[in-house]
Structures are given as C-alpha cells and as structure tokens.
Amino acid sequence: MFKAIRVFPLIVFLSAITVFSQSQFEGYNIIVDVPTEHRSATCAVRYVPPTTTITVTDLDGTTPLAIKACDGSGSRLISSTANSATFRSDAATNKWCFRGEDKSYRVSFSGDQFSGAVDYIWVDQTDERTAGFFNIRDFGARGDGQTDDTAAFKSAMAQIASNNGGTLAVPDGEYIITSPVALPSGLVMHGTNGLHSMASTSDVTRKNPTRITLRGTNRALFEIGECTEGVTIRDVELFAQSNVGTSGIEAKGAYISSQGFVFDRMTFQGFNRGIHAYGLPQTNLNWQFDYVKINNTRFIYNRDTGLFANMRNSDWKISGSLFINPRRQAGQNANSMHFERVGMVLVQDTFGGGLGN
C-alpha cells in the first residue's frame, strides 16, 4: 500500500508533463492580400466564414499527427488521417484552436474571390514570455540567398494579422521574395541594420547582413492595401535583382484610407521605384495614404524614382534621408522624389546626389 501511494503521484505528474508539453495553435480564417479590381471597400486583411473547412497538415513525418481541438474553444475536428486533419472554427467567434506535439503546422483553406486558396505555416505561441514576438526563421525561411522564402513571409504576416499585430525579427541572411507580400496592421518588422549593400564602410565592400531581395520583374516586394494602420519597418535593406517595373513597397487602394507608417533606417536599392504609393482608378486616384514618416533611410540607384506618390494624402515627413540616383537617360528618370495630387509633405535634412549629368 505504501509503495502504491508513492507511485501514484508520479504517474499523475508524468501525465501532466505529457499534456502540457503539447503546443497550442490559435487563429482565424484570415486572408492577407491587396486586391486591385474591387468595386467596394475591401480591406487587405479579411476573413472567410466559420463554415469554411480548415486543413491542418503535418510538417514533421517523424512524429504522429496527434492533434485535437482545444477544450472549450468551440473548434470542431471533422476528420483525421495519418498526416492531416480538417477543422471548423467556432461559429460565434470565427476563431479556431488546436493542440499538437510539433512547433509548426501547415494551415490551408479556401480564400475569397480575390485571394484564391490560402496556405500558411502556423507556429506555436504558447510561451507567454515571447507572445506577440515572431522570428521569420520559425516559419521556415532559409535566408540563404537561393531558397524562395515568400511562403514564410506570407505566413508570418497572416499570423501577425490574426494576432492583431506583432513584432517580426528578420535575422542576418538574404531572403528571396518572388511575389508580393501584403503587410497587416500593427506590424513591426526589423532586421539587424539598414546599411546598403556594397557601401564603402571599409576597403572590402560587402552585402548588408539583413537583406530582403525581390526576384523577378513587374512586381512589388511588399504591398500595403486599404484599412491598414500602424506599420513600422526598420533596420533592413530591401533590394531588387531587376529594376524593370519593381517596387520595394507598393501602397495602393481606392476606398478606405490607410495611415500611420514609419520606415526607419532602411535602404531601398535597385528598384524601379523604392516606395510607390498611388490611388486606384475606381475612385479617380482619390485614396488616402496618410501620416507617413521616412527617417534616416537610403534610396540607392532606383531607376525611375526613389519615392513616387500619386493620390490624396496628408502629413508626410521625410527627414535625415539620402537619395543616390543613377544616371538620367532615356527610360530612366533617375529622380529622388516625385509627387502628384498630394499635400502637406515636409522634407528636411535630406539630400540627393548621384552620377554626373
């Protein structure tokens, strides 16, 4: 009897360890993208109905799937196979929750008429000490200058949007992006520094340690759409492999304004336009992109212009920044800044230069 009493608490304790060692994953049926063909107000962050079926796929074949809906969450497990399961979110809150043994899973579901099918990597956020703080490597980004890391960035933006904001760290590495990544409200994204690659910082010129590189032509690296607020990006270089129709950040909308953006200690290098903000024709370019601060930022050899804006806006401030432009020639305007249909822009402590002529 004495031995049984001593063993029983140990069994309970070990059982508790097994339960609490599981990771927990929470989110919404969320879409993060920027449409251009809409004819009514359409936010960049949207939700599909709770009746939408969510498919959760195992990313680690060495462990069993073994996932289940969180107790009391209202999420419902519909079916399960060896490497995937289907869920539905809570009908009242549109939120889903499940527990599993791994630190990340693939979450996919049908999107809307603008986005098409949605596919994200979702990571564990059960540690209260790091809640709201994310690392792009946890979403599968390699940063090796060769691997396409687009899916990792889109997944990070979706989880941050589902959290209604968060901070994303981008450690040293060169991250390749091949299609536009939409930015959600409340995002703070930072690298390790904002120097431009091949800057004359020593007698050996090198790439910036943290560089997000756009591969391809006629596309943007990051996009900002309607209903977006409170985005900060700092200490990172945005770089383009081609200056044909490319943008580092492209902000566009028609109906609902976006506001509150800070670009701090960054570099935009090698694009057609470093920052390109404009209204869509549905409302005759009358979109508003307001309260923008560009601080201590470098625009290096952008083909058409470093900063291009054509829409209604108010309260832009460009300070402490530098524009180094390529040679002006046919098909290459090589401007520092180009503004149309805008008002209340303050430029201070900012300089431009470049090649002769």
Side-chain angles (χ1 to χ4, degrees):
M1 180 66 70
F2 180 75
K3 290 184 178 179
I5 292 173
R6 293 181 63 88
V7 172
F8 178 72
L10 178 61
I11 293 172
V12 173
F13 177 71
L14 291 175
S15 175
I17 290 176
T18 301
V19 171
F20 288 106
S21 66
Q22 284 194 316
S23 302
Q24 184 164 305
F25 303 84
E26 297 179 286
Y28 296 86
N29 304 343
I30 202 163
I31 298 168
V32 187
D33 81 342
V34 180
T36 58
E37 304 300 324
H38 53 294
R39 290 295 182 269
S40 61
T42 305
C43 294
V45 175
R46 306 183 297 281
Y47 300 84
V48 296
T51 53
T52 304
T53 300
I54 310 156
T55 300
V56 178
T57 306
D58 198 354
L59 296 173
D60 184 0
T62 64
T63 60
L65 183 63
I67 63 174
K68 62 179 182 179
C70 302
D71 295 337
S73 68
S75 303
R76 183 162 58 92
L77 175 65
I78 301 172
S79 64
S80 181
T81 65
N83 64 350
S84 69
T86 55
F87 283 85
R88 288 223 176 101
S89 60
D90 181 83
T93 65
N94 204 27
K95 189 174 186 178
W96 46 259
C97 179
F98 66 88
R99 298 180 70 89
E101 296 181 2
D102 298 336
K103 293 298 182 182
S104 63
Y105 292 91
R106 184 180 303 280
V107 175
S108 54
F109 52 89
S110 299
D112 62 12
Q113 60 179 319
F114 302 113
S115 70
V118 172
D119 190 278
Y120 301 128
I121 304 299
W122 218 263
V123 302
D124 173 42
Q125 273 269 289
T126 53
D127 188 344
E128 294 182 352
R129 298 170 301 176
T130 58
F133 291 87
F134 302 87
N135 190 305
I136 194 62
R137 299 287 182 134
D138 292 336
F139 294 90
R142 299 289 296 277
D144 57 11
Q146 300 295 326
T147 304
D148 186 349
D149 288 328
T150 307
F153 275 87
K154 290 185 176 182
S155 298
M157 300 310 165
Q159 191 157 355
I160 287 170
S162 190
N163 195 57
N164 202 25
T167 296
L168 178 65
V170 184
D172 282 357
E174 182 175 13
Y175 302 86
I176 301 297
I177 301 294
T178 58
S179 65
V181 176
L183 303 180
S185 296
L187 168 71
V188 176
M189 181 168 60
H190 66 87
T192 61
N193 79 89
L195 289 172
H196 65 271
S197 290
M198 314 316 289
S200 55
T201 55
S202 69
D203 57 357
V204 178
T205 55
R206 292 176 290 173
K207 294 180 180 179
N208 185 305
T210 304
R211 186 160 92 166
I212 305 175
T213 296
L214 178 64
R215 178 187 292 166
T217 61
N218 300 308
R219 66 196 66 180
L221 202 166
F222 292 118
E223 287 186 328
I224 297 170
E226 296 178 21
C227 322
T228 306
E229 298 191 17
V231 172
T232 296
I233 306 177
R234 63 175 186 263
D235 295 316
V236 66
E237 179 184 26
L238 305 186
F239 184 87
Q241 293 181 349
S242 171
N243 61 14
V244 178
T246 54
S247 299
I249 292 176
E250 186 173 302
K252 52 192 174 184
Y255 299 96
I256 303 178
S257 64
S258 294
Q259 59 188 354
F261 299 90
V262 177
F263 306 115
D264 193 18
R265 300 191 302 267
M266 294 179 62
T267 291
F268 294 82
Q269 181 167 189
F271 296 94
N272 182 55
R273 293 171 177 170
I275 297 176
H276 183 196
Y278 60 98
L280 294 169
Q282 294 92 305
T283 54
N284 193 28
L285 313 187
N286 284 335
W287 185 54
Q288 289 186 243
F289 187 64
D290 300 333
Y291 313 118
V292 178
K293 291 182 172 59
I294 302 169
N295 305 319
N296 308 309
T297 290
R298 302 179 180 194
F299 295 82
I300 308 296
Y301 296 135
N302 297 293
R303 177 180 177 178
D304 182 69
T305 182
L307 173 57
F308 186 103
N310 184 12
M311 79 272 134
R312 295 173 60 190
N313 80 297
S314 64
D315 298 292
W316 282 43
K317 182 179 179 182
I318 300 112
S319 62
S321 295
L322 175 67
F323 294 80
I324 300 297
N325 302 318
R327 187 184 302 277
R328 177 169 291 181
Q329 57 191 22
Q332 184 165 286
N333 288 323
N335 288 324
S336 295
M337 290 177 273
H338 179 112
F339 290 101
E340 297 182 29
R341 300 162 56 87
V342 300
M344 290 186 281
V345 176
L346 173 63
V347 182
Q348 64 181 25
D349 188 25
T350 291
F351 303 92
L355 299 174
N357 302 315

